[in-house]
Amino acid sequence: MIEQAPALIVIIPLLCAVLSPLVGRIGKNVGYVWVVLTLASSTIFAFITLKQVITHGVVHYRMGGWLPPWGIEYVIDHLNAMMLVLVSGAALLVALYSKRSVEQELPDKTVYFYTVFLLQVTGFLGIVITGDVFNLYVFLEVASLAGYALIAIGEKGAPLASFRYVVLGTVGACFYLLGVGYLYIVTGSLNMADLSNLLPALYGSKVVLVAFAFLLVGLALKMALFPLHVWLPDAYTKAPSTASALLAPLMTKVAIYVMLRIMFTVFKPYFSIEILPVTDIMLWVGIIAIFAGAIMALAQVDFKRMLCYIIVAEVGYMVGGVGVANAIAIKGTILHILNDVVMTLGLFAVAGILTYTMRQHDLSDFKAFFKKMPITMAAFVIVALAIIGVPPTCGFFSKWYLIQGAVMAGAWSYVVALLFSSLVNVILFFRIFEIGYEFHASHDAHGFDHEVSQVIQEAPLSMLIPTVIIAVLIIMIGLYNQPIIAGIIQHAVPKL
Amino acid sequence: MKVLGFIVTVLTGALLIYGTLDMPNYGDPDSPASSHVSPRYITDTEIDTATPNIVTSVLADYRGYDTLGETTVIFTAGMSCILILRRRKKSYKV
Amino acid sequence: MLEFIISKYNFWIYIILMMIGFYAMIAKTNLVKKIIGMNIFQTAIILFFVSTAYKSDATLPILLNSQGHGAGHHAAEQVIEVSQYINPLPHVLMLTAIVVMVATLGVALAIVIRVYRDYGTLNEDEIIKAIK
Amino acid sequence: MVFRKEDIIVSTIARILIPFIQLYALYVIMHGHYSPGGGFQGGVILGASMVLLLLTRGHDEAKYKIPENMVITLSSIGVLIYAGIGFLCILLLGNFLDYSKLAVLLHVDPAHARSLGILGVEIGVGFAVMAVMYSIFLDISTGGVLPEDEEPEEGTEA
Amino acid sequence: MILPFDIILQLFVIICAVAAITVKDLMSAVIILGAYSFFMCLMWAQMGAVDVAFTEASVSAGIGTILCIAAVMKTTRRTKD
């Protein structure tokens, strides 16, 4: 059964998603248990695959038994395997976390919510695992459609935000498809490995240049890179908290993963770096994204919206890291993908708890949180320190590699941008800590008491435990970053 | 918005047209698209799958996983529509 | 020159179509108009793919003189001329893309109905006015 | 609203047409090996026949013929047939979707097994597409508020 | 490829596309979109992509148009552009 593990990672969530509307009819909590079990088994198979990749090297899996250029092939190397564990693990944590929040926000739609939730995860896993550019498009659409639906059922204004996402997301997917079409017409192949063999002979061709540009622009739309990020803040702010906790960490990172795949596997690294000066453009776009995201995050009064702009800045980190284009910076980028999934998950988990207890998510709702929910706030402090980049947490190490790479490449403006963004994060989060401490002040400032009860009312356990796990993970990844880099990420860095 | 949209559209179109200049001619039987992967489908479909309609055999067998994805897309759309629109009596009356 | 234009003008027409759709997606304020633009854009991309499959003087990608069931046994005797049949692969891809198109259309229309339920209008400027 | 009061001409013609549309749809699915067509097209035509039933008979009658839960079950079953055939191949020690392994069960040669596997898959696609097309139309035409719950919805009607 | 037939179809398709996005009534726009899909399907049949043409005829020109009409009837056919 071991050699079938790669297929099972995707097939199990797919089969269970299809079964879930039927299973959901049995009882009230069955849907929740079903999702958790599904994702747990998917995570187990992802770990098995990761272990196989670490011990035996790249794993190939042929769908239907056909040879690669003719059939569809899974190619799982270290980068893939890491992303698989990350996606399925993060989805499992979100699923564990979702119970109370879904019951509160969508009481009569839990069955269909969990169905679409599983389909969303299936889409992400399918994108990450595949070795075929068109198959990637199909699963990109599965993930996008599920994402549109998950966002549209949020609070007031969510359908409009979701509609904007539909329009821009479709443009992104169509640009990707056009890029694939342009590649297909000159090579006749859709398999990534085959393409990367065929393309070097055609690097001067105008068709290939245009295809590359369209692939990158399409993915930039999906990953909300700065000038194209307009759909993101509204969509993730207004989505239900479980949906934003699933989408916000994973959607952008999966798109960044695909970008790495396109730039360094389908095209050879020297094409992306030397023949076309794409990386220079990406460096500058990344820097602008970091500044813009950080400054706009400062201006927000809504907690979730502030987090959305932090995501925009984080996307800037990773795109800029690829733009620096040396091995250390790309190592930092891949480590940052890992860290950012965990950190963003933590932030949105806290946002979900805030929404659950206060029914809204303004910054002022944090009032007296240290008194009311000490454990949640302790977890939040750890996540915030990681976002800022304080040493024992994981956020520090990826930033360290990014800065180290930038210094070696002489990209000082990128270093400045990173430091500036860390500084802004300090301001953002210490402002929240301050709000969390003050609770008598409100009485004086507004003239009436917001009936801040001083009794400890911790969040429900089903929400608290995943949040604490995330906080522990952040510290663990920070402490064990060397083994992770040596075992996995070192091999995932493309040979430049 | 209209002017901006027009400019973006024209630029994108110009880029796409620039790309077509190096393309194989329309209807060229020896273009890479028709000579790299697809000949195997045409010659072997009867031997491999006993199905004369090549599109069907490629769709459901050689690239069957794509079609599974396609079916999943359709299923997702159905579930999404139910999730977005359908309301129960109780929540509607409120 | 004329020969060059004749061999390429097909692609240019698809690009014009694509850009009509793309313009509608960006610049139109009515939500259903945006969806119509989306549909035109996707259809034009499908047209582009289908045209990459075309071979002049070739026939449909369905084998002629097939023996039907059990043909696997003596198929080896038949010689199949590759240039005789149109390239089937883009057709397969585009079948999938059409499905994706109609799925997106369905979800987008569902979302439009929700938007209309909230604001009572489909024009974006009026919706923005209603929010304020 | 899409649903109108019953009209005898329309409903009679629909009653005559629907079986033929469905027969044609089945032909399209089954004959996909030899002619253009296949699960997807046939499924859409089947779905269209159900939509025609819904349009001409109104929701009350369509609800008895095609209950809402059955639509969802059918769409699940469709994808399940597809993924199930693929999964069966794993159980028969092949890769996912490797229909030639079904030869053991069907007692035919591998090429033939693949042909039958394609047929099974097409039937699955047909089920899923039929049910989902009907379901999407039902949702969009009623705005998601199904008739047994329906009340005068004047607030949103233009 | 029959060149005159081809050019006429392409002309029709472009006219339909322009009309669909400029006409000031959503119901008309949606029905013109159906016609657009149908011409597109003829074009594909003419290029030998019968399967794709069949799908387009049943999906976009059939179900897609019906869905759009249902949605427009459920909302409004008024539009400003």
Side-chain angles (χ1 to χ4, degrees), chain A residues 10 14 18 63 66 69-72 74 108-109 112-113 115-116 119 132 134-135 138-139 142 145-146 149 153 175 182 184-190 194 198 205-207 210 214, chain B residues 12 15-24 32-33 36-38 40-41 48-49 61-63 65-66 68-70 72-73 75-77 79-80 82-88 91:
Chain A
V10 183
L14 175 57
V18 171
M63 276 294 157
W66 296 111
W70 292 282
I72 292 167
Y74 282 171
D108 54 347
K109 286 178 175 170
Y112 299 113
F113 179 84
T115 309
V116 178
L119 287 167
D132 189 281
F134 189 78
N135 193 241
V138 173
F139 279 91
V142 173
L145 281 178
I153 52 172
F175 276 12
Y182 270 49
Y184 178 75
I185 199 172
V186 285
T187 59
S189 177
L190 294 164
D194 200 28
L198 288 169
S205 158
K206 289 166 191 154
V207 187
V210 174
F214 271 83
Chain B
T12 319
L15 189 61
L16 281 171
I17 286 179
Y18 174 75
T20 59
L21 297 181
D22 271 359
M23 274 186 188
H36 178 55
V37 170
S38 64
R40 151 98 199 250
Y41 296 137
D48 285 341
T49 65
D61 198 349
Y62 291 95
R63 294 185 73 85
Y65 186 58
D66 262 357
L68 179 61
E70 163 198 320
T72 317
V73 167
F75 183 75
T76 314
M79 289 300 131
S80 302
I82 294 177
L83 181 66
I84 294 169
L85 283 177
R86 207 163 277 185
R87 296 183 285 186
R88 272 224 216 114
S91 64

Side-chain angles (χ1 to χ4, degrees), chain A residues 291-490:
Chain A
F291 276 112
I295 291 169
M296 282 192 281
L298 271 177
Q300 305 306 322
V301 289
D302 186 304
F303 181 57
K304 265 175 117 175
R305 191 172 270 274
M306 185 191 99
L307 298 186
C308 292
Y309 282 106
I310 290 179
I311 292 180
V312 173
E314 299 276 336
V315 171
Y317 286 8
M318 284 172 268
V319 172
V322 176
V324 170
N326 59 19
I328 299 175
I330 289 176
K331 200 197 304 179
T333 305
I334 296 170
L335 183 62
H336 200 75
I337 292 178
L338 168 66
N339 294 342
D340 202 42
V341 168
V342 184
M343 294 187 303
T344 321
L345 194 57
L347 287 178
F348 275 88
V350 174
I353 291 178
L354 188 70
T355 317
Y356 179 76
T357 49
M358 309 297 287
R359 301 295 176 96
Q360 51 183 357
H361 34 72
D362 284 344
L363 283 179
S364 56
D365 294 328
F366 270 105
K367 210 160 281 175
F369 251 49
F370 277 105
K371 263 269 161 33
K372 280 196 290 183
M373 331 187 138
I375 305 176
T376 312
M377 280 312 267
F380 178 55
V381 168
I382 293 172
V383 178
L385 291 180
I387 287 272
I388 294 166
V390 177
T393 56
C394 61
F396 168 75
F397 295 97
S398 48
K399 274 191 188 174
W400 174 251
Y401 282 113
L402 286 174
I403 289 178
Q404 210 182 335
V407 169
M408 275 179 68
W412 294 103
S413 42
Y414 181 63
V415 179
V416 172
L418 272 181
L419 295 177
F420 174 76
S421 150
S422 303
L423 202 69
V424 169
N425 285 341
V426 171
I427 298 169
L428 288 174
F429 286 105
F430 277 82
R431 192 170 63 177
I432 296 173
F433 297 159
E434 201 188 333
I435 297 171
Y437 267 119
E438 78 178 286
F439 50 101
H440 287 303
S442 75
H443 187 82
D444 303 328
H446 300 286
F448 61 93
D449 201 328
H450 282 284
E451 53 186 280
V452 177
S453 59
Q454 305 206 357
V455 194
I456 294 178
Q457 301 172 308
E458 208 27 282
L461 271 183
S462 65
M463 297 175 99
L464 195 60
I465 292 172
T467 316
V468 172
I469 292 176
I470 291 162
V472 173
L473 269 179
I474 283 176
I475 295 189
M476 295 293 273
I477 294 172
L479 292 180
Y480 291 100
N481 75 87
Q482 283 310 320
I484 292 173
I485 286 176
I488 304 169
I489 294 174
Q490 196 70 55

